[in-house]
Amino acid sequence: MTSQLFAVCFDATEPMRLAQFWSGLLGGEITDDPHHGVALLPSDDTGFRIRFLPTREQKAGQNRMHFDLTSASLEDQQQTVAKALGLGARHIDIGQRPEEGHVVLADPEGNEFCVIEPGNNFLADCGFIGALACDGSQEVGYFWSKALAWPLVWDQDQETAIRSPQGGLKITWGGPPLMPRTGRDRLRFDLAPAVPTDRQAEVERLLSLGAVCIGTGRDETGEVAMADPDGNEFAVVTPSPSA
């Protein structure tokens, strides 16, 4: 038994505004979310939705995960950057060096993302969303490989990456040093058990892999709030039949 990556969740002070930004940039249909937010349905082979859930908390500090968007050419990269800026993004400085070819931006609520330069061999054939780049240890890369049954496609110098056997994006972890925590994770995973009725069995399996149950989740919705070995929050959900 394994979990499926059902969604990447964004906390948002204006969920619809943020959904419209990412829909404009990535494509995909916006739909109501069962838990008072909105969701962006996948428009390609990523297989997961992006959920935008309401919060009153303003973003503090740098997120521990972000999207890396790919480019087919320098012109394509420039067009993606221009499109993002037109939708409400802005340039930000997170310490990138001038000689680096990627462009670092933030969405309208300050969530970081990168537009990667053309010719990046690591993200070749990964699609427009090339990677979900995460701050995390080698151990947590191993955990998520087992949790999702996605094989390791990189494991070197304490950096790890996994990818679905069906292809699509990579999820990467950059190794130490890890960023300090500044509060609740603003971006999180939602996992769904392969068999919806086996949620408790899946929770127990994830606990055996090194996850813990926590009390900061969305218990009132029936979701089980957990954290991985690095303390990154995620939830085990049972999607509605229409999801």
Side-chain angles (χ1 to χ4, degrees):
M1 187 190 340
T2 59
S3 290
Q4 300 170 340
L5 179 57
F6 176 69
V8 173
C9 298
F10 282 70
D11 279 348
T13 57
E14 296 184 66
M16 180 56 76
R17 171 72 181 92
L18 203 57
Q20 289 170 339
F21 169 84
W22 284 103
S23 176
L25 189 58
L26 302 178
E29 175 188 355
I30 297 174
T31 185
D32 289 336
D33 187 86
H35 305 308
H36 311 299
V38 292
L40 180 61
L41 300 180
S43 60
D44 54 21
D45 61 357
T46 54
F48 61 85
R49 61 183 56 199
I50 304 176
R51 301 176 68 194
F52 302 92
L53 304 177
T55 182
R56 294 182 180 179
E57 295 182 11
Q58 297 294 322
K59 182 176 182 291
Q62 186 175 328
N63 290 334
R64 297 172 68 86
M65 65 172 73
H66 67 267
F67 286 127
D68 283 342
L69 307 182
T70 62
S71 305
S73 64
L74 184 58
E75 180 182 11
D76 183 43
Q77 182 188 30
Q78 293 169 341
Q79 289 176 346
T80 298
V81 171
K83 184 176 185 179
L85 294 173
L87 290 167
R90 67 181 189 276
H91 288 278
I92 58 170
D93 182 358
I94 58 170
Q96 66 270 28
R97 298 186 297 273
E99 66 271 18
E100 293 177 318
H102 63 277
V103 178
V104 184
L105 301 172
D107 71 17
E109 294 208 3
N111 301 299
E112 305 85 3
F113 66 99
C114 294
V115 184
I116 304 300
E117 68 278 8
N120 185 297
N121 293 329
F122 183 68
L123 300 182
D125 81 357
C126 285
F128 185 43
I129 302 178
L132 187 56
C134 306
D135 185 66
S137 65
Q138 186 179 46
E139 178 189 10
V140 88
Y142 294 165
F143 167 84
W144 283 107
S145 178
K146 295 174 182 176
L148 297 173
W150 288 15
L152 285 161
V153 294
W154 181 264
D155 185 10
Q156 186 172 311
D157 300 327
Q158 300 190 66
E159 298 178 352
T160 52
I162 63 175
R163 192 182 188 195
S164 167
Q166 283 72 49
L169 88 171
K170 294 176 179 176
I171 305 178
T172 70
W173 291 270
L178 304 185
M179 293 186 295
R181 291 194 170 276
T182 55
R184 188 182 181 196
D185 294 329
R186 206 165 183 87
L187 274 72
R188 304 177 300 280
F189 293 145
D190 272 354
L191 306 187
V195 179
T197 56
D198 287 348
R199 184 177 64 183
Q200 187 55 42
E202 182 58 10
V203 167
E204 292 173 2
R205 187 184 73 90
L206 293 166
L207 290 172
S208 75
L209 294 176
V212 295
C213 288
I214 56 176
T216 62
R218 293 158 270 161
D219 320 59
E220 69 279 1
T221 68
E223 302 176 359
V224 180
M226 306 189 77
D228 69 18
D230 276 0
N232 302 303
E233 300 163 33
F234 67 95
V236 180
V237 306
T238 304
S240 65
S242 60

